[in-house]
Amino acid sequence: MGECTTQIVIIGGGPSGLLLSQLLHLRGIQSVVLERKSKDYVLSRIRAGVLERGLMGLMDEAGVGARMAKEGFTHDGTLISYGDTMFRVDFKELTGQSVMVYGQTEVTRDLYDAREAMGGQIEYNVEEVEIHELESDLATVTYRQDGQTHKINCDFVAGCDGYHGVSRKTIPSDIRKEYEKLYPFGWLGCLSRTPPVSHELIYANSDRGFALCSMRNENLSRYYIQCDLSDRPEDWSDAAFWAELKRRLPAEVAEKLVTGPSIEKSIAPLRSFVSEPMRWGRLFLCGDAAHIVPPTGAKGLNTAASDVHYLYKGLRQFYETGDTMGIDRYSELALARVWKAERFSWWFSSLMHRYPDQSAFDNKMQVAELEFLRSNRAAQQAMAENYVGLPY
């Protein structure tokens, strides 16, 4: 058995694990990242990419914000439609802040490049990861790689390994409390090499269901439509997808839509999920390992980043001064912000989608809520503050 020692073992080589590793490295804190897939697999994942101001700041602090600043698209607002009515929520005017459209894959690529340039230790294709001795003076993590068993002794473990990872399940079930809401629909997403229909995102509420017009760059668009959970991507031809998308957009937008062959189609179910606490002994949960939001509010990656912020600050405080207050309060601080992000994502999802059991009264309430948002500055400001990201 190969054995080594480090300060932090980070389970999961996605953006949150890599960001935490990079930030810690710059403060002289050692880490080893364990990723169950290959680097190419991680970089092939198609994910959204609306970055809050907080995540942009962390990218800059980690020294990986240059390409984002050069190639990303700053968005000062967003468009919301219902029927043929469309209005704009001006983030910049209402909050003084903007968001950045920059693909999660590109965030991950930048972080990989930085970790590799600094000699960061990332172990790929690891299997059978187990976390041990979390309530002792020294934690251990074991795993198998290329048929060999390895053991790492460490001060702390950061579980950045997603909903299906080992980290959350390591917390005893009598300590862990989970909250979940499953939504009765999914999102069918289509990626195409076409110019975006709008330079800002369009969120559409229609009688036929929700739609979203997004983009990756000037010639790469990402569109979504609400669909049944029983649907499969192969059930939807390109022609059927484009026709349905057009039906859910205001006529003036539908007329401008440039269609083309799909590069990728996929269906994602929607859920709200939180597991408490986010710390047990020497284990800290980050991102999807502890919480999931429906994608409507673009909070998944951003909420993971806020976890990284609190954990990085706590660990830095511990190693630089010996003070444990930051890590002791990690779960409390992270969850306080997580639940606000959950609320916003739940509210926005409830506002924009059609539910199977939605009554005529419910339809009228949605329209009234949208009318109020369209006409009321305070309502728009509350939405804008949440969308650009609540402060850490």
Side-chain angles (χ1 to χ4, degrees):
M1 176 187 289
E3 186 168 342
C4 67
T5 299
T6 191
Q7 290 171 297
I8 316 292
V9 170
I10 298 172
I11 303 175
S16 57
L18 295 171
L19 179 59
L20 178 61
S21 179
Q22 177 72 2
L23 289 165
L24 292 172
H25 181 105
L26 294 175
R27 293 292 173 176
I29 302 169
Q30 301 173 342
S31 67
V32 176
V33 177
L34 304 180
E35 169 55 46
R36 67 185 183 93
K37 297 291 189 179
S38 68
K39 176 182 173 182
D40 287 344
Y41 180 91
V42 175
L43 290 173
S44 72
R45 295 170 180 157
I46 302 295
R47 295 289 188 272
V50 177
L51 312 187
E52 291 179 355
R53 53 178 174 164
L55 176 49
M56 288 188 275
L58 285 173
M59 292 281 284
D60 289 336
E61 187 173 352
V64 294
R67 191 164 75 96
M68 173 187 68
K70 181 181 178 182
E71 299 181 12
F73 292 82
T74 299
H75 280 202
D76 294 334
T78 195
L79 298 161
I80 297 175
S81 73
Y82 52 107
D84 273 332
T85 300
M86 189 161 65
F87 64 96
R88 182 171 183 265
V89 179
D90 191 325
F91 304 149
K92 189 76 172 178
E93 195 267 332
L94 291 162
T95 71
Q97 304 289 334
S98 304
V99 294
M100 178 73 74
V101 174
Y102 188 64
Q104 182 172 322
T105 301
E106 304 311 312
V107 171
T108 309
R109 192 185 310 278
D110 293 342
L111 287 163
Y112 270 136
D113 290 347
R115 296 310 300 125
E116 290 168 359
M118 293 182 176
Q121 186 178 351
I122 305 173
E123 301 295 334
Y124 299 102
N125 298 305
V126 303
E127 300 175 312
E128 300 175 31
V129 176
E130 294 184 3
I131 310 168
H132 313 273
E133 303 174 74
L134 287 169
E135 294 187 291
S136 68
D137 293 336
L138 197 67
T140 61
V141 178
T142 58
Y143 64 95
R144 289 183 63 80
Q145 184 184 50
D146 299 327
Q148 302 293 315
T149 300
H150 300 267
K151 177 181 178 182
I152 309 177
N153 303 305
C154 58
D155 297 329
F156 302 103
V157 179
C160 305
D161 51 347
Y163 179 79
H164 297 289
V166 68
S167 297
R168 183 181 73 257
K169 297 166 190 172
T170 301
I171 300 176
S173 58
D174 60 335
I175 291 174
R176 183 169 24 107
K177 186 168 179 59
E178 297 182 348
Y179 305 83
E180 184 172 42
K181 175 180 174 61
L182 300 177
Y183 295 81
F185 42 73
W187 276 17
L188 171 63
C190 177
L191 191 67
S192 63
R193 287 195 177 91
T194 54
V197 71
S198 167
H199 70 282
E200 292 181 335
L201 272 63
I202 300 175
Y203 291 87
N205 173 312
S206 85
D207 291 341
R208 301 181 65 88
F210 170 77
L212 170 61
C213 302
S214 182
M215 72 284 291
R216 292 294 176 268
N217 58 48
E218 291 175 346
N219 292 295
L220 191 62
S221 298
R222 182 74 166 165
Y223 296 104
Y224 301 90
I225 57 173
Q226 176 184 344
C227 66
D228 291 337
L229 284 172
S230 59
D231 285 0
R232 300 172 302 166
E234 54 268 30
D235 296 336
W236 287 85
S237 66
D238 288 355
F241 176 87
W242 293 121
E244 185 59 34
L245 176 63
K246 287 182 177 181
R247 292 187 190 103
R248 300 185 186 193
L249 299 173
E252 62 180 279
V253 177
E255 289 171 8
K256 295 190 299 181
L257 185 71
V258 178
T259 64
S262 62
I263 302 169
E264 184 265 355
K265 278 200 201 90
S266 57
I267 291 178
L270 274 65
R271 72 153 53 91
S272 298
F273 172 84
V274 179
S275 180
E276 297 182 350
M278 289 175 60
R279 180 198 180 180
W280 182 62
R282 295 184 174 272
L283 171 65
F284 303 88
L285 302 182
C286 279
D288 286 1
H291 46 77
I292 292 174
V293 291
T296 324
K299 292 293 170 236
L301 175 60
N302 291 299
T303 308
S306 70
D307 297 344
V308 169
H309 163 82
Y310 293 119
L311 183 52
Y312 159 60
K313 295 296 185 185
L315 290 170
R316 180 181 162 193
Q317 183 183 42
F318 172 78
Y319 283 110
E320 291 179 356
T321 70
D323 189 344
T324 66
M325 184 177 72
I327 56 176
D328 290 342
R329 293 194 66 206
Y330 167 71
S331 182
E332 172 194 349
L333 293 171
L335 282 168
R337 195 177 188 280
V338 162
W339 278 112
K340 293 185 180 78
E342 292 281 351
R343 184 211 66 83
F344 175 69
S345 300
W346 161 81
W347 167 80
F348 203 22
S349 296
S350 301
L351 180 64
M352 301 305 296
H353 291 84
R354 279 292 186 271
Y355 288 72
D357 59 351
Q358 196 160 316
S359 67
F361 178 84
D362 296 330
N363 294 343
K364 287 289 189 181
M365 286 299 97
Q366 271 191 340
V367 172
E369 178 84 357
L370 286 160
E371 287 282 357
F372 182 68
L373 183 61
R374 180 184 64 80
S375 61
N376 187 277
R377 179 184 173 87
Q380 288 192 14
Q381 185 166 359
M383 179 191 167
E385 288 175 357
N386 280 273
Y387 201 97
V388 302
L390 298 174
Y392 294 157

